[in-house]
Amino acid sequence: MSRPVPHIDVRSITEADIPDWSRALNTGFLRTPGVAETEVADRASYIVPSRTLGAFDAGRCVATFRSFAQELTAVGGATVPADAISNVTVTPTHRRRGLLNRMMAHDLAAAKERGDVVATLIAAEYPIYGRYGFGPATWAAEWTVDVPRAGLDPRWAGPEDGGRIDIVDSADVRKIGPELHERVRLAQPGAIDRGERWWQVATGAVRPDRSPWTEPFFAVYRSAGGEVEGLVSYLADDKWGDGKQPLNTASVKWLIAATPQAERDLWRYLCSIDWITTVKSGWRAPDDLLPFFLPDPRAARITTLADWLWVRVLDVVRALEARTYEGRGTLVLEVVDGAGLAGGRYRLQAAADGASCAPTTAAADLTLDIAELGALWLGDESAVRLAALGRVREERAGAAKVADALLRTSRRAWCPDMF
C-alpha cells in the first residue's frame, strides 16, 4: 500500500536540478549513480524542464518522471498527438509512498489539457501501469536465425529483382534514413516519429555517456529505379570454434523497409555474409515475415516475445475517429476510467470510409476499463479474448465479436522503437 508523504515536493525541475535528477535516475535504474558534466549537458539539450518531474525530499531528488511530444500512427495511417512517458524511477528508499501516483496524475492531467489523444510508454515492469489506465497495445518478438539450417543458396550474390544493396556510412544514413522512416511509419500502426536526435544517436553523431558506442554496419536497399526502400543497422562479433570454423553472429540494431521485397533482400543479405552463422533480428513485429523469407522457417526461432508499447486513451472520441475500420457497424462502449480523464458511454459508428464517435445515453454493448480500450485501439488485441479473461463485459450477447470485426487488423500493430 502507498503511504503518501506530503512533505515530499513533486514538481517540474529546473536546469539547476538536472545533475541531482540524473543521479536519481541512474540510481533507480541500478546504474552507477555518478553523473558526468557531459551527461548533464547532453540531457539538458533535449529534455523539456516543464515536462520533467522530480520528487524532492529535503532537497534531494528521490523520484524521476519525464514526458515529451510524440506522434503515434493509428490504424489507417493517421497520426495522433501522444504524451510519451519515459525515465520513470523511484529511489529504493522511497518506494510505496505514492510518488509515482502523484507524478503520473500531474502528467496525465497536463496531457489531457494540452489535447493529447493518448499517452504512451514502454513498461520495464508489467504490473505497474494498468492501474493508471495503460493497456499493452503492441508486442515485440526477437528471432534467432540458424543460418546453415535456413536452406538459403550460399551462392546468392545480391537481389534478383534489379535492386541493389550497398554498404553506406553514418552520414549517408542521416541523409536518407529520415525520409524512408516517414514512409514506413505512416504505414505501420503503432509506429512513432523519430526526431533528429534519434538519427544522431543511432549513427554516433551524438554519444550519450551512458550508451557505449560501437560503430555498426549500415546497408541500404535501392529498387531497380534507384529509390531507397530499405535500411539496416547491424553489428557483428568475432567468434571462432574448433577447427577454425567461424561462428559469428550478426545482431540487427534496427531494420526498416518500405516494401516486402526490400525487407526480404535485406534479410537474405544478412544471412549471406561470409562467416555469419547466426542472425539475431532485434525487436520485430510478432507476425514479422522474416521466418517465411527462409526456405526452412524453422531455422528462425523466437527467443523473446514480450509486451512493448502501452497506450492510455485520453480522448475516446478523437482516438476512435482517428483510426480506420475494415467493416461497418455500430458499437456502444461503457468506458470506465478511475482517474476521471476519459470515462463515459460512447457510440462508435464505423465504416470503411470513416467513423464517428460521440457520447450517448443508449444502452451499452460492452463495458470495459480505459486500459482495455488502450489495448484494443491499435487492433492487436481481441475483445473476445478479453471477455474470456473477465476484463471486458458483454452487455449484449455477441458484442465482443462485433468489436473484433470492427477493431482488429489483418496485420499486427508494431512499434519499432524504444523510448
Side-chain angles (χ1 to χ4, degrees):
M1 296 292 292
S2 297
R3 295 182 288 109
V5 182
H7 69 268
I8 296 180
D9 185 22
V10 172
R11 59 171 174 80
S12 299
I13 69 168
T14 66
E15 188 171 346
D17 293 319
I18 293 176
D20 189 28
W21 188 90
S22 299
R23 176 178 285 275
L25 178 69
N26 293 339
T27 299
F29 283 143
L30 300 180
R31 304 187 299 215
T32 302
V35 182
E37 290 184 7
T38 51
E39 182 179 351
V40 172
D42 177 61
R43 185 159 283 123
S45 72
Y46 66 86
I47 67 170
V48 179
S50 63
R51 295 184 63 166
T52 305
L53 301 177
F56 294 84
D57 186 1
R60 185 180 182 87
C61 189
V62 294
T64 64
F65 190 109
R66 181 173 73 90
S67 71
F68 59 94
Q70 183 184 79
E71 280 190 355
L72 174 64
T73 303
V75 177
T79 62
V80 300
D83 176 52
I85 295 170
S86 186
N87 296 152
V88 178
T89 73
V90 176
T91 299
T93 55
H94 286 69
R95 296 169 65 246
R96 304 295 184 265
R97 302 192 189 188
L99 299 181
L100 177 54
N101 292 348
R102 293 168 64 187
M103 294 188 295
M104 184 68 78
H106 178 99
D107 184 79
L108 292 181
K112 177 76 173 180
E113 181 68 22
R114 274 194 308 270
D116 291 335
V117 173
V118 297
T120 62
L121 55 82
I122 294 175
E125 298 179 55
Y126 192 98
I128 295 174
Y129 294 100
R131 66 178 185 261
Y132 301 113
F134 289 84
T138 80
W139 290 65
E142 183 175 33
W143 276 267
T144 297
V145 179
D146 183 348
V147 174
R149 285 191 53 203
L152 295 168
D153 186 346
R155 299 169 297 175
W156 187 82
E160 299 161 358
D161 57 355
R164 61 178 292 157
I165 293 174
D166 294 299
I167 297 290
V168 293
D169 61 24
S170 56
D172 294 321
V173 172
R174 288 192 292 274
K175 292 177 183 176
I176 64 179
E179 189 278 333
L180 173 64
H181 179 260
E182 280 299 291
R183 292 165 54 201
V184 171
R185 68 120 172 170
L186 294 177
Q188 176 60 63
I192 59 176
D193 58 321
R194 292 177 177 175
E196 181 182 357
R197 178 182 166 80
W198 190 97
W199 293 100
Q200 291 176 334
V201 172
T203 58
V206 170
R207 303 184 185 183
D209 280 0
R210 294 283 168 173
S211 303
W213 175 251
T214 300
E215 182 80 21
F217 300 95
F218 300 105
V220 60
Y221 171 91
R222 291 184 174 89
S223 68
E227 186 173 11
V228 173
E229 292 187 343
L231 196 58
V232 62
S233 170
Y234 63 97
L235 297 169
D237 63 10
D238 184 18
K239 183 178 180 182
W240 293 73
D242 297 337
K244 293 186 67 176
Q245 294 299 310
L247 297 172
N248 298 308
T249 297
S251 297
V252 173
K253 294 171 69 68
W254 47 267
L255 184 153
I256 54 175
T259 65
Q261 186 66 49
E263 189 175 350
R264 182 179 76 92
D265 282 339
L266 284 173
W267 288 120
R268 290 202 64 180
Y269 160 73
L270 291 164
C271 291
S272 73
I273 300 171
D274 288 343
W275 301 354
I276 295 297
T277 59
T278 302
V279 172
K280 289 186 175 294
S281 71
W283 293 107
R284 306 294 302 169
D287 63 345
D288 198 80
L289 300 176
L290 167 58
F292 302 100
F293 288 140
L294 308 175
D296 184 352
R298 293 183 183 179
R301 58 189 176 88
I302 290 180
T303 47
T304 305
L305 176 64
D307 57 283
W308 197 248
L309 185 76
W310 290 56
V311 169
R312 204 278 187 212
V313 176
L314 297 170
D315 188 324
V316 174
V317 171
R318 290 169 65 201
L320 292 177
E321 289 185 344
R323 57 159 291 170
T324 60
Y325 301 84
E326 296 185 8
R328 176 183 293 273
T330 299
L331 194 66
V332 178
L333 303 174
E334 180 74 35
V335 180
V336 179
D337 186 352
L341 295 173
R345 189 174 299 174
Y346 302 90
R347 181 196 297 273
L348 169 67
Q349 293 181 292
D353 58 351
S356 64
C357 181
T360 184
T361 57
D365 298 316
L366 285 178
T367 296
L368 70 168
D369 188 84
I370 192 69
E372 314 311 335
L373 182 61
L376 290 166
W377 178 62
L378 286 174
D380 191 56
E381 186 53 90
S382 161
V384 170
R385 190 168 82 148
L386 292 180
L389 292 168
R391 290 159 54 185
V392 165
R393 185 173 72 247
E394 285 191 324
E395 308 296 353
R396 176 174 61 82
K401 287 186 177 180
V402 173
D404 277 357
L406 294 177
L407 295 170
R408 298 205 82 183
T409 55
S410 54
R411 290 292 303 274
R412 298 186 69 174
W414 176 45
C415 177
D417 293 310
M418 167 72 79
F419 59 90

